[in-house]
Amino acid sequence: MSISNSKKRVYREFYEKTGIQLTDEPLPASNPEIKDELEELYHLAQNRPRKALPKLEKLVEAYPKIPSIKNYLQLCYAQTNQLKKAQAIQDRTIKEHPNYVFGIFNTIMNLHTKEELEQQAHLLGEPRHIHTLTGERLIHSSEYINYQHAAAHFEALTGDTDSAVKRLDTLIELEISAKSIKDCAKKIAIGRFMEMNKNISKMQEGRIVVESFPKVDFTPTVSPPSLKLEELDIFYEEDVDNLDVSIIAEILQLPKEDLIVDFEAMIDDGIQRYDILKDLGFNQDTYDFVIHAMYFLGALKSESSLEKVLNLLRMGSEFMDFWFGDMREDFFHPVLFSLGEQQLDKLKSFVLEENIDGFNRLLATHAVAQIALHQPHRRSEVINWFKEVYTYHLDCPNNTGLIDTDFLAMSVGYVIDFRGKELIPIITKMYENKWIPDNIEGNLEEIIKEINNPPHPSELVPIPQNITEYYTKEYRSRKAERPPISEEERIKMEHSIYGETPAEKMVTEYTLEMMTSMISGKKPSKYLEEDEDDFFFDDDYDDYEYVQPVKQIVRTAPKVGRNDPCPCGSGKKYKKCCLRK
């Protein structure tokens, strides 16, 4: 096999850089007298393994010092489903030829746990370098590629993916086949994916989440309420996305007191008939009456209805998921702001109630934080509100119905929005109590840095100015956009996510695909399906050495919860980051 000039150049530059001299030319066969016979048996082993078996079994005993014969025999055993014999000959190969790279490759690549791999770490040598096995000699490219693959597989699954990525960069530099590069990248991505799952598990160790359950006393009913205004029956027939704007305007002209009574009755109806409606299954066309009621009460600024709206939040997470799904913040924020901006004590009392879902408490907290941005003259009032909420937590450190690290950490994010510098001392105390995990808003240093950064108009969340805007969402267009990042910042951000080298980018892309598949609950078939069998060049012969295909283990990770850290590594909660992507 002749080597192209471009390949010679690649090997020459590689030698100048690393001191490792590679070649694609066949190295002298250890037993040239059977070279032709072995080449024939190699092809026979692939295509007619049963016919090749008896000849190879005789050759193994006749030439015990030629490891490639054992490798072909292992292939035949595997092809004919004689797995115990295949394993036995593989074990013999490693025992009798401990420096045989292809045997090492077969052994390492068929191990899939950290414990198994660490037990066989000695096979790769110490230091983990091919010269440890081969000595300072001319190395066939197939030997080097196989060694790098095996070492990368070992490092990826034993927690050293950075070293594995460097090996992949070397393989890319050598311009080996795209398929082999992809295979190696996939294995490293699996290792990184497993590392990330472990890191997420570690993050959960110190997490404290309040158990929530319905806290509203009510009498179940089987029928909708009898409304004062029959015009409002339409809210049991139309969803919020399809209601005619002209109807909205007409309804707003009806007597305000009667509207408030009926809309409050609708909210009660959502609670009283919850079990019945849940069993029937959600129907957006007829089940949006609770949202209609909230919108109108918010637009009417019916402050007396605040407790009715808070009752929805007192019903627990399952109730909220059924009625509002992932849009609860969009539905509740403008309503809570409108009804609660002059009733901060009621919002504080709600936030300090025990056994309330942490995210529901955050909805009220967000509304209070936004008051400091919409009404700067009330900033000190908002500061005191947060100080009292946090102080109450610090005074009740063992209250399992109150202390919720998700709530506390994410509420600090709202403090950052209005730059509540005065709260840094009390936030520091909560951080020291380990109530502010680093994986949500960052560590204490990062939080303080963010609070001290110049504010930006984009932190203000617009509020609907009338009932029409509740439905059309036109108010969202008033939200200021962050200035576009510079090209330098964009590149820096891209590098921080994908890395700077070709290998790092490839591994990151595969890892993100696995994460996306895990989130969606689907198998990441694009990247984790086994490819066709791989064939690697043997150093003794001008042909290809068969390597038994490696089964890749896909860890079935627990599904990411809405309150769990987002697996993309952003530091945000999953529900605040990739849940809607």
Side-chain angles (χ1 to χ4, degrees):
M1 179 183 288
S2 60
I3 305 177
S4 67
N5 289 332
S6 62
K7 182 66 73 170
K8 288 180 180 178
R9 175 186 53 77
V10 169
Y11 287 169
R12 182 175 63 254
E13 292 175 353
F14 186 70
Y15 174 73
E16 293 171 353
K17 178 180 177 181
T18 66
I20 299 174
Q21 190 170 3
L22 301 178
T23 182
D24 284 350
E25 297 288 356
L27 298 177
S30 55
N31 289 78
E33 69 274 14
I34 61 168
K35 179 179 183 295
D36 293 339
E37 185 178 2
L38 274 182
E39 288 181 356
E40 180 183 349
L41 284 171
Y42 160 72
H43 293 289
L44 197 62
Q46 292 181 76
N47 302 309
R48 302 179 66 188
R50 293 190 183 280
K51 185 174 182 180
L53 266 175
K55 296 181 180 181
L56 285 169
E57 286 173 337
K58 290 180 181 179
L59 283 178
V60 162
E61 302 309 321
Y63 297 92
K65 294 184 179 180
I66 303 180
S68 55
I69 300 176
K70 299 181 180 70
N71 199 28
Y72 295 157
L73 181 57
Q74 178 188 344
L75 164 61
C76 287
Y77 284 142
Q79 293 275 68
T80 55
N81 205 32
Q82 300 181 64
L83 302 183
K84 288 185 178 180
K85 288 186 176 182
Q87 184 62 52
I89 197 67
Q90 178 176 307
D91 293 342
R92 178 180 169 185
T93 303
I94 286 296
K95 182 178 180 181
E96 296 178 1
H97 313 282
N99 293 343
Y100 179 54
V101 171
F102 298 98
I104 293 170
F105 177 92
N106 284 338
T107 299
I108 294 295
M109 298 301 286
N110 281 288
L111 301 177
H112 302 286
T113 69
K114 181 178 180 180
E115 293 72 21
E116 290 174 334
L117 285 162
E118 287 179 341
Q119 289 176 4
Q120 301 297 331
H122 62 279
L123 296 179
L124 294 168
E126 182 59 43
R128 205 173 299 134
H129 192 288
I130 193 168
H131 279 157
T132 306
L133 305 180
T134 62
E136 301 289 336
R137 66 167 173 82
L138 183 65
I139 299 173
H140 196 276
S141 59
S142 64
E143 282 187 298
Y144 185 76
I145 292 169
N146 274 266
Y147 182 87
Q148 290 293 88
H149 269 278
H153 178 78
F154 175 91
E155 289 161 348
L157 297 187
T158 55
D160 188 8
T161 54
D162 288 344
S163 294
V165 169
K166 290 179 181 177
R167 294 186 189 276
L168 178 58
D169 269 317
T170 299
L171 294 176
I172 294 173
E173 182 182 343
L174 291 175
E175 299 179 1
I176 70 170
S177 73
K179 180 179 182 301
S180 294
I181 288 172
K182 289 181 180 179
D183 288 345
C184 187
K186 293 172 192 176
K187 293 177 177 69
I188 299 171
I190 291 171
R192 182 160 289 177
F193 181 67
M194 293 167 65
E195 276 185 21
M196 294 177 69
N197 283 337
K198 290 178 182 177
N199 290 336
I200 291 174
S201 297
K202 285 183 179 179
M203 291 175 185
Q204 303 301 311
E205 290 176 2
R207 184 180 177 215
I208 305 171
V209 180
V210 163
E211 179 185 2
S212 68
F213 45 80
K215 298 190 63 183
V216 179
D217 292 327
F218 62 91
T219 301
T221 57
V222 296
S223 301
S226 177
L227 302 176
K228 288 177 173 290
L229 303 169
E230 62 180 19
E231 293 92 337
L232 304 192
D233 289 338
I234 192 171
F235 293 131
Y236 283 89
E237 302 168 2
E238 296 286 347
D239 66 68
V240 294
D241 296 324
N242 294 320
L243 191 64
D244 192 287
V245 175
S246 62
I247 295 177
I248 295 172
E250 291 174 6
I251 288 175
L252 203 60
Q253 301 303 313
L254 297 173
K256 181 177 179 180
E257 290 185 3
D258 290 344
L259 284 173
I260 290 174
V261 169
D262 280 353
F263 285 130
E264 287 185 351
M266 287 185 193
I267 287 181
D268 288 340
D269 186 29
I271 294 174
Q272 294 165 346
R273 286 197 297 143
Y274 166 57
D275 288 333
I276 292 176
L277 298 177
K278 179 181 64 174
D279 290 341
L280 294 175
F282 188 83
N283 183 336
Q284 185 172 337
D285 291 338
T286 58
Y287 282 24
D288 271 3
F289 59 88
V290 175
I291 299 172
H292 287 299
M294 287 173 54
Y295 281 178
F296 271 87
L297 290 173
L300 292 168
K301 293 192 72 67
S302 175
E303 295 180 354
S304 62
S305 304
L306 177 60
E307 285 298 325
K308 292 287 186 180
V309 174
L310 291 177
N311 277 344
L312 296 172
L313 303 180
R314 292 184 172 104
M315 286 296 293
S317 57
E318 289 186 8
F319 174 92
M320 293 291 289
D321 285 339
F322 175 77
W323 283 114
F324 310 106
D326 299 323
M327 301 296 291
R328 65 174 79 176
E329 184 167 7
D330 295 321
F331 294 139
F332 275 87
H333 179 72
V335 176
L336 289 173
F337 184 93
S338 177
L339 303 186
E341 63 174 315
Q342 301 300 328
Q343 303 186 80
L344 298 196
D345 283 345
K346 287 188 177 181
L347 293 179
K348 181 175 66 178
S349 296
F350 168 75
V351 166
L352 295 179
E353 287 182 26
E354 296 179 6
N355 299 108
I356 300 292
D357 177 78
F359 193 51
N360 290 354
R361 294 163 70 192
L362 278 168
L363 292 172
T365 304
H366 190 200
V368 175
Q370 284 292 306
I371 291 172
L373 296 172
H374 283 265
Q375 304 167 28
H377 64 281
R378 298 181 63 188
R379 186 177 185 282
S380 60
E381 187 181 350
V382 173
I383 291 290
N384 287 333
W385 188 93
F386 274 89
K387 188 176 294 184
E388 290 172 4
V389 167
Y390 291 157
T391 298
Y392 188 87
H393 281 76
L394 289 168
D395 289 342
C396 307
N398 300 316
N399 188 334
T400 57
L402 177 70
I403 306 300
D404 187 307
T405 55
D406 287 356
F407 163 73
L408 291 171
M410 293 181 73
S411 71
V412 169
Y414 297 142
V415 173
I416 292 173
D417 286 346
F418 68 84
R419 303 300 189 266
K421 301 176 184 180
E422 300 91 333
L423 295 169
I424 289 176
I426 199 166
I427 290 173
T428 300
K429 290 181 181 179
M430 293 194 298
Y431 186 85
E432 291 170 349
N433 273 11
K434 301 187 184 304
W435 291 349
I436 312 292
D438 292 348
N439 62 297
I440 296 181
E441 297 296 339
N443 59 36
L444 183 60
E445 181 180 351
E446 293 169 324
I447 289 171
I448 293 174
K449 179 181 177 181
E450 286 294 318
I451 289 180
N452 283 295
N453 277 341
H456 191 275
S458 63
E459 268 119 21
L460 184 144
V461 179
I463 299 298
Q465 294 181 348
N466 52 57
I467 185 60
T468 302
E469 285 197 347
Y470 272 94
Y471 283 90
T472 64
K473 310 302 179 187
E474 182 182 344
Y475 67 96
R476 294 179 183 174
S477 65
R478 295 194 293 272
K479 191 174 190 331
E481 294 185 5
R482 281 233 176 239
I485 62 174
S486 66
E487 182 65 12
E488 181 181 353
E489 290 175 322
R490 187 194 64 78
I491 294 173
K492 183 178 180 181
M493 183 182 298
E494 187 176 290
H495 285 172
S496 69
I497 297 174
Y498 289 98
E500 299 186 17
T501 70
E504 186 64 60
K505 291 177 181 178
M506 183 178 294
V507 170
T508 300
E509 287 176 359
Y510 289 166
T511 306
L512 290 175
E513 167 66 16
M514 293 179 205
M515 287 165 38
T516 302
S517 298
M518 180 187 73
I519 291 170
S520 66
K522 298 178 181 178
K523 177 184 175 183
S525 57
K526 181 178 180 181
Y527 296 125
L528 295 185
E529 282 183 350
E530 287 195 27
D531 293 321
E532 297 177 358
D533 299 345
D534 286 333
F535 294 87
F536 292 81
F537 197 87
D538 183 273
D539 60 344
D540 280 348
Y541 306 103
D542 188 10
D543 216 323
Y544 287 92
E545 179 90 4
Y546 180 87
V547 175
Q548 192 66 21
V550 178
K551 291 183 179 179
Q552 296 179 350
I553 303 300
V554 181
R555 172 170 292 189
T556 305
K559 201 168 185 179
V560 181
R562 56 195 299 107
N563 289 318
D564 292 338
C566 188
C568 78
S570 67
K572 297 181 180 179
K573 303 305 293 180
Y574 172 47
K575 62 193 173 191
K576 297 283 284 183
C577 189
C578 291
L579 180 61
R580 299 179 193 174
K581 294 182 180 179

